Amino acid sequence: MMNDGSLPDWADIVVVGGGNAAFCAALAARESGASVLMLERAPQAEAGGNSRFTAGAIRCVYDGVADLQRLMPELTEAEIAKTDFGTYRQEQYFDDMGTVTEYRCDPDLVEILVIRSRETLLWMRSKGVRFQPMWGQQAFEVDGRFTFWGGLAIETMGGGPGLVDALSAAALKAGIDISYGARAVSLIADESGVQGLRVKRAGRGHNVRAGAVVLACGGFEANHEWRARYLGPGWDLAKVRGTRFNTGDGIRMALDIGAAPYGHWSGCHAVGWDRNAPEFGDLAVGDGFQKHSYPFAIMINADGERFVDEGADFRNYTYAKYGAVILRQPGQFAWQIFDAKVSHLLRDEYRIRQVTKVAADTLEELVQNLAGVKADRALETIKAFNAAVRLDIPFDPNIKDGRGTEGLAPAKSNWANTIDQPPFEAFAVTCGVTFTFGGLRIDTTGQVLDTDLEPMTGLYGAGELVGGLFYSNYPGGAGLMSGSVFGRLSGTSAAAHAISVPGAMMEKLIDLP
C-alpha cells in the first residue's frame, strides 16, 4: 500500500531511497516475508533518484542470443537475423571492470556483480521490468546489418522513467509502503546494532524502529560542499546530471555511527553535458543534455586546442571520465565539432530543443561562432587535425577501426575523419556529474562494515553509496546493474536478519524512546 500519510512506528525493514537499488532491496526483502517501508526524500513528482534520469543501459553477462531471448522474449526472428549481438561473457565483464578501474576495484564485490548480473535481470523481469535492445545507442547499421559493440546490448524499456514506474508498480503490488517527502536524518543505534531511524517529514520528526535498515539513497554528487571537499577544487562548479536530493545523507548517517568509508572518494562518474544545462537534472529532458557522440568529433577548448584522444576507446569506456577532463579546461567547457560525413551517427540528444549549438558552411565562420574560443588557433588546430588523418584506413563505427592520426598530439586513435564537408556543427559541453565513487564499505552479504571492518548489525547498503566498485572510470551500464544486484542482495540479507529478531525484542524496540 502506498503511504503518503503518517509514518508507522515499526517496519521489519526500512529502505532509505527511492531509486533502482532501493526498490530492488525492498522487493527482495518483501519476497523474503518482511514488512517493508521505503523512505523517499523527494516528493512523489520528483521521486526515483538518479534512476529516473538514466537512459536505462544495464550491463549484463550474456553468452549469446538465447540469453537475450530469455530477457527479451519479444525479440523477433527478423530482428535477430539482421543483428550481430555478439556475446558478453563473465571473463569480459571481469576484464572491463579491472581495466577501467586500473585494477583497483574490490574483487569480491566485482565477482558478485558479474556472476549475479544475468540472474538479477531475470528476477527483475519476474517483477514486471521489461528490457529491450539498445538499437539507437549501441548499434550502428552497416551494409544492412546492426552490430552491437562495447559489451552493452540491453536497456530498460522506457529508459529510467520506465524502470522506476515498473518497480513502483511492483512495490505497490507487493504491499510495500512508500513515504514520499520523508528525509532520513540519523540512524538509531546502540551497542546491539542499528534499530531504526530518525525521520523528518513535513517539518516534524519521527522515530521509525526497524529490524534492519538498508541505505540505498545515492552518493553526494548534489552536495556542492562535499564535491569541493572530496573531489577537489573546481568541482563545486560542475553541473549535476540527476536528482538534487543526493547529498550524501545515507553516507553521513552511517559514518556518524562508525561505518567505514571506502572506495575512490576523490573520483566520480562525470560526462560531457550541455554547457547551459540547469544546475540539476531536468526530468522533462532526462539524459538529453549528455553529448556522447564525441568519438566521431574533435573537442576544442577555450585556447583553441584539442586536449584528449576522442577515439581512445568505445564511448562506453571513456565517457564517464571525460567530464573530469573537460572540467579541467580553461573556463570548464569545450566544443565538440562534427562535419556532415558523420552527422547521421549523432545520438538523439544532439537534436533536443535545449541544446547549445552553432552551425556554419565554412570552418572560418564556424570558429568565429565558438563562444569563448580563440578562433584563429581553433582553425589552425582543425587544419592540422585534417592533415594528420589516416585516410588509407577504412572508417567503421562498429569496431575500433584504427583509423587514427599521425604526428599529432594528442593523437586520435580511432574513428578519425577529416572535418571538411559542410555543414559543420559544434556543440558546447561542460562537466556533468552523475554519481560519486566514494562511499561505504559492505561485505559480500551487503552488510555495512565499521572502521574495524566488522559487520554493523542491522545495517546494509546498496547502490551509488557503496564504495569499492569504481575507480577513476566506469564501464557504461554497470551502475544500474550494481544497484540491482546489491539492492537485491542487501534486501534479502536484511530480511533474514530482521525476521530472526524475536518478537519480544521487536516489542522492546518499539517501546524505546
Side-chain angles (χ1 to χ4, degrees):
M1 178 179 64
M2 304 296 281
N3 175 14
D4 58 2
S6 60
L7 289 165
D9 294 323
W10 169 267
D12 292 335
I13 304 296
V14 175
V15 177
V16 183
N20 171 56
F23 274 114
C24 286
L27 288 166
R30 187 74 186 113
E31 188 176 65
S32 297
S35 64
V36 181
L37 169 67
M38 294 180 67
L39 301 176
E40 165 61 286
R41 177 181 169 187
Q44 190 165 359
E46 297 180 71
N50 274 353
S51 301
R52 278 281 293 277
F53 293 88
T54 179
I58 194 157
R59 183 172 293 265
C60 168
V61 167
Y62 63 95
D63 295 325
V65 173
D67 281 342
L68 296 178
Q69 287 177 299
R70 291 175 67 199
L71 287 167
M72 301 175 287
E74 300 84 3
L75 271 176
T76 68
E77 291 300 322
E79 290 171 332
I80 293 170
K82 70 177 183 180
T83 307
D84 179 5
F85 286 104
T87 62
Y88 192 60
R89 302 187 189 279
Q90 287 186 8
E91 55 268 27
Q92 293 172 281
Y93 209 150
F94 283 121
D95 285 346
D96 282 345
M97 286 295 295
T99 300
V100 301
T101 65
E102 300 174 359
Y103 297 94
R104 290 187 169 97
C105 53
D106 185 303
D108 294 330
L109 297 184
V110 170
E111 183 174 17
I112 292 171
L113 167 64
V114 172
I115 291 176
R116 299 193 184 187
S117 62
R118 181 168 43 199
E119 68 177 69
T120 299
L121 291 197
L122 289 168
W123 173 78
M124 292 173 72
R125 180 173 174 81
S126 76
K127 301 299 183 186
V129 178
R130 294 295 177 259
F131 305 99
Q132 63 189 13
M134 292 190 69
W135 301 110
Q137 300 187 48
Q138 289 295 135
F140 297 110
E141 186 175 7
V142 176
D143 297 328
R145 188 169 176 79
F146 288 92
T147 300
F148 277 86
W149 45 269
L152 192 56
I154 304 167
E155 66 182 356
T156 55
M157 194 170 290
L163 172 63
V164 173
D165 288 347
L167 291 171
S168 298
L172 176 62
K173 182 178 180 180
I176 293 169
D177 287 344
I178 307 173
S179 183
Y180 297 99
R183 181 175 186 172
V185 177
S186 59
L187 292 163
I188 300 171
D190 62 16
E191 64 277 2
S192 63
V194 171
Q195 300 167 2
L197 305 100
R198 181 71 176 171
V199 183
K200 185 175 181 181
R201 190 175 188 279
R204 300 181 64 182
H206 187 84
N207 287 353
V208 179
R209 299 288 174 173
V213 172
V214 180
L215 300 175
C217 47
F220 59 86
E221 59 274 4
N223 187 325
H224 292 73
E225 184 212 353
W226 277 32
R227 289 205 312 268
R229 183 192 304 182
Y230 295 115
L231 303 182
W235 279 97
D236 48 336
L237 303 176
K239 309 279 189 180
V240 176
R241 292 182 66 191
T243 177
R244 62 191 174 97
F245 296 101
N246 282 7
T247 55
D249 285 2
I251 297 172
R252 174 190 51 76
M253 289 189 296
L255 296 181
D256 284 347
I257 63 167
Y262 192 42
H264 191 188
W265 276 72
S266 60
C268 66
H269 180 308
V271 308
W273 195 245
D274 192 278
R275 187 181 181 187
N276 291 309
E279 179 183 5
F280 301 107
D282 182 340
L283 285 171
V285 178
D287 65 344
F289 289 119
Q290 65 190 6
K291 298 291 174 281
H292 289 345
S293 293
Y294 61 84
F296 310 127
I298 64 171
M299 286 196 281
I300 286 180
N301 65 16
D303 292 331
E305 305 279 358
R306 288 180 59 247
F307 55 90
V308 75
D309 181 351
E310 303 92 346
D313 206 334
F314 286 120
R315 184 270 311 172
N316 300 2
Y317 304 120
T318 60
Y319 79 115
K321 66 178 181 179
Y322 277 3
V325 179
I326 294 169
L327 190 72
R328 292 196 293 268
Q329 303 311 302
Q332 296 84 43
F333 74 92
W335 286 88
Q336 299 177 357
I337 300 174
F338 303 86
D339 82 350
K341 293 193 296 297
V342 298
S343 60
H344 66 289
L345 297 175
L346 296 189
R347 292 157 55 106
D348 291 345
E349 65 226 28
Y350 286 81
R351 305 304 177 214
I352 66 171
R353 179 176 59 83
Q354 308 91 332
V355 66
T356 306
K357 169 189 171 183
V358 297
D361 289 326
T362 68
L363 291 174
E364 289 77 8
E365 180 185 359
L366 183 79
V367 296
Q368 291 296 329
N369 291 331
L370 302 179
V373 173
K374 296 177 181 177
D376 291 346
R377 180 56 190 147
L379 185 60
E380 293 172 1
T381 295
I382 296 171
K383 290 180 176 178
F385 174 82
N386 287 345
V389 172
R390 289 284 306 273
L391 297 176
D392 57 317
I393 300 174
F395 170 72
D396 187 339
N398 283 317
I399 63 172
K400 289 196 285 186
D401 60 7
R403 182 182 171 107
T405 58
E406 281 188 327
L408 199 65
K412 185 170 183 178
S413 301
N414 297 284
W415 311 298
N417 283 296
T418 53
I419 300 172
D420 56 11
Q421 183 174 321
F424 306 103
E425 294 180 313
F427 299 83
V429 293
T430 185
C431 173
V433 179
T434 311
F435 66 91
T436 44
F437 291 159
L440 305 177
R441 190 164 196 151
I442 64 170
D443 65 14
T444 55
T445 72
Q447 194 164 9
V448 175
L449 302 181
D450 66 17
T451 52
D452 293 324
L453 303 188
E454 295 293 333
M456 301 182 74
T457 301
L459 186 61
Y460 299 81
E464 294 174 357
L465 57 66
V466 171
L469 279 169
F470 308 120
Y471 291 77
S472 300
N473 197 8
Y474 156 101
L480 272 185
M481 193 71 260
S482 65
S484 301
V485 166
F486 290 102
R488 184 187 183 195
L489 174 67
S490 64
T492 301
S493 298
H497 167 75
I499 292 171
S500 72
V501 176
M505 179 61 72
M506 292 184 181
E507 294 296 330
K508 179 181 177 183
L509 292 177
I510 294 172
D511 291 338
L512 288 173

